Amino acid sequence: MKAGIVGLPNVGKSTLFNCLSNAKAQSANFPFCTIEPNIGVVNVPDTRLQKLEELVVPERVLPATVEIVDIAGLVKGASKGEGLGNQFLGNIRETDAILHVLRCFDNENIVHVDGSVNPVRDKETIDIELQLKDLETVDKKLEKVKRAAKTGNKEAQKEEAVLLKIKQGLETGTSVRALDINIDDRAEFVKPLQFITDKPVMYVCNVDEDAATTGNAYVEQVKAAVANENAEVIFLAVGTEADITELESYEERQMFLEDLGLTEPGSAKLIRGAYKLLNLETYFTAGVKEVRAWTIPVGATAPQAAGVIHTDFEKGFIRAEVIAYNDFVSFGSEAKVKEAGKMRVEGKEYIVKDGDVMHFRFNV
């Protein structure tokens, strides 16, 4: 599962990517600097992991991770192959969620491809290109489905109705994710087509240092523009975040944050947001050798969660011993949780809850 950072050229995408991954993607004041998509595996900040580390004192600690992809800047006409259009659209199609970076600061020294700062216009520029590409997809599919629908095939007629609704929405500037389509039809007819505008999106407003804690008028404009999209909007000062990551020690970084009035880097909030956007959650294993956060999709069963560690664990699953995170912390150790009768034994049907501390029994 990976989230792709998108936006117009020069809005701060590569700088943000560098902050998130510390993989130094080239960053420069001109378009198309990032030509091949850079991929970074980013640790997901989680205070629960630190608490488990304090209690268990393991030999090593491994956080959950999420993949972030830095994709080349898109321009008007991308859907027709302008700029790096086709490559951009191919790269974005391979991601599972979109982090859409919008420039929300004024700076005469940084070129804007359209000559002025207007984040709502910038958002619409990219939306239109993505919608045009999705329109191509729906038109191609409709050609095939209409032929089957004419023969009286009921399933094809049902699919045709859904596709026509999508086509009409895209033609009037509505992304697929914002259309009112029931959950069964989405699963059967929409999801297999991998529409770009159906991917979940978070808008990342790149502000200057003065607006790092409160946002600014540009951010409010973005919030108003996306109110009907059911999308999250966050703001962070990407240039300032880059300065923070350059500092050597944790103490220096904390002092810098305190001076700005922040309790944590904005990038930490963004990474957690991306994790949630991808519909992921975390369970833990905790022993003296290792305390580790494991990533699972929301709704995973105990055997599926076990399979993330090793496929043999899923194949030979017998049961899971489960401790709620809050119980582990309040009792202070696995032994004390057992004494208090708070450890549960769960079977194959158990749906794992975010934060569960688990131990699997299996037989291969």
Side-chain angles (χ1 to χ4, degrees):
M1 299 290 278
K2 54 191 177 187
I5 300 176
V6 307
L8 292 176
N10 287 0
V11 295
K13 298 184 308 303
S14 295
T15 308
L16 175 61
F17 177 81
N18 291 341
C19 295
L20 296 177
S21 66
N22 289 329
K24 299 295 181 188
Q26 187 187 0
S27 175
N29 183 19
F30 57 89
F32 309 132
C33 178
T34 311
I35 294 176
E36 291 303 320
N38 293 282
I39 299 178
V41 178
V42 182
N43 290 340
V44 179
D46 194 329
T47 53
R48 296 173 301 181
L49 196 62
Q50 293 157 9
K51 189 67 186 170
L52 290 172
E53 182 183 7
E54 286 169 24
L55 294 171
V56 179
V57 195
E59 289 174 20
R60 64 175 184 163
V61 178
L62 291 169
T65 59
V66 63
E67 270 194 14
I68 305 286
V69 186
D70 178 26
I71 297 169
L74 175 145
V75 292
K76 281 178 190 164
S79 58
K80 302 284 182 249
E82 291 294 321
L84 297 166
N86 292 328
Q87 190 172 331
F88 171 97
L89 293 159
N91 292 334
I92 195 173
R93 201 181 287 284
E94 289 167 16
T95 64
D96 303 287
I98 297 170
L99 306 175
H100 187 159
V101 182
L102 296 166
R103 177 171 166 179
C104 293
F105 66 89
D106 295 303
N107 185 329
E108 291 174 5
N109 298 318
I110 298 177
V111 180
H112 189 293
V113 287
D114 287 329
S116 63
V117 176
N118 183 335
V120 174
R121 176 202 61 208
D122 295 353
K123 171 202 168 307
E124 287 168 356
T125 296
I126 287 197
D127 281 353
I128 288 165
E129 296 305 325
L130 301 185
Q131 287 160 3
L132 286 169
K133 203 66 188 172
D134 279 350
L135 204 48
E136 280 180 28
T137 303
V138 80
D139 282 341
K140 277 181 194 165
K141 185 66 177 176
L142 262 170
E143 274 179 41
K144 295 175 186 172
V145 172
K146 277 180 174 173
R147 285 197 292 271
K150 277 179 185 169
T151 66
N153 182 314
K154 291 277 186 280
E155 194 67 9
Q157 289 170 351
K158 192 177 172 186
E159 183 172 8
E160 183 185 21
V162 174
L163 294 175
L164 285 170
K165 186 173 189 174
I166 291 169
K167 180 178 167 69
Q168 186 181 6
L170 290 167
E171 285 175 341
T172 54
T174 305
S175 292
V176 177
R177 76 177 76 83
L179 293 171
D180 183 18
I181 299 169
N182 76 53
I183 195 163
D184 293 334
D185 286 347
R186 272 193 180 275
E188 191 173 353
F189 306 126
V190 183
K191 203 163 179 57
L193 293 174
Q194 292 185 296
F195 289 111
I196 300 172
T197 66
D198 193 35
K199 295 178 190 293
V201 64
M202 178 196 291
Y203 294 99
V204 182
C205 297
N206 181 11
V207 299
D208 56 23
E209 190 172 308
D210 293 340
T213 54
T214 57
N216 58 23
Y218 290 133
V219 176
E220 295 311 311
Q221 288 167 18
V222 172
K223 285 180 179 175
V226 305
N228 68 334
E229 281 192 39
N230 193 25
E232 192 174 347
V233 178
I234 70 166
F235 59 87
L236 66 160
V238 174
T240 306
E241 297 276 331
D243 292 340
I244 292 170
T245 60
E246 294 297 324
L247 296 172
E248 293 298 320
S249 72
Y250 173 78
E251 288 73 21
E252 284 178 302
R253 290 194 290 273
Q254 287 305 110
M255 281 172 63
F256 197 138
L257 287 168
E258 283 168 21
D259 287 345
L260 291 171
L262 297 169
T263 53
E264 66 173 358
S267 53
K269 187 168 61 173
L270 187 147
I271 295 163
R272 284 197 298 271
Y275 197 68
K276 190 176 165 190
L277 202 63
L278 290 164
N279 205 32
L280 301 174
E281 62 185 11
T282 301
Y283 77 87
F284 302 101
T285 50
V288 290
K289 288 271 183 203
E290 176 183 276
V291 165
R292 182 164 183 167
W294 299 90
T295 300
I296 50 170
V298 172
T301 60
Q304 288 167 337
V308 174
I309 299 176
H310 198 287
T311 51
D312 286 350
F313 283 28
E314 184 172 2
K315 287 175 194 163
F317 180 89
I318 299 169
R319 65 178 184 273
E321 294 168 355
V322 184
I323 302 169
Y325 169 78
N326 288 338
D327 285 340
F328 199 106
V329 170
S330 54
F331 288 99
S333 72
E334 187 177 313
K336 286 179 181 169
V337 171
K338 283 180 180 173
E339 279 173 32
K342 290 286 188 179
M343 178 184 276
R344 307 189 314 276
V345 175
E346 301 286 0
K348 290 183 177 181
E349 304 303 313
Y350 178 67
I351 303 296
V352 178
K353 294 181 179 63
D354 187 53
D356 277 350
V357 181
M358 305 185 77
H359 185 70
F360 299 104
R361 300 290 177 191
F362 67 101
N363 182 28
V364 178

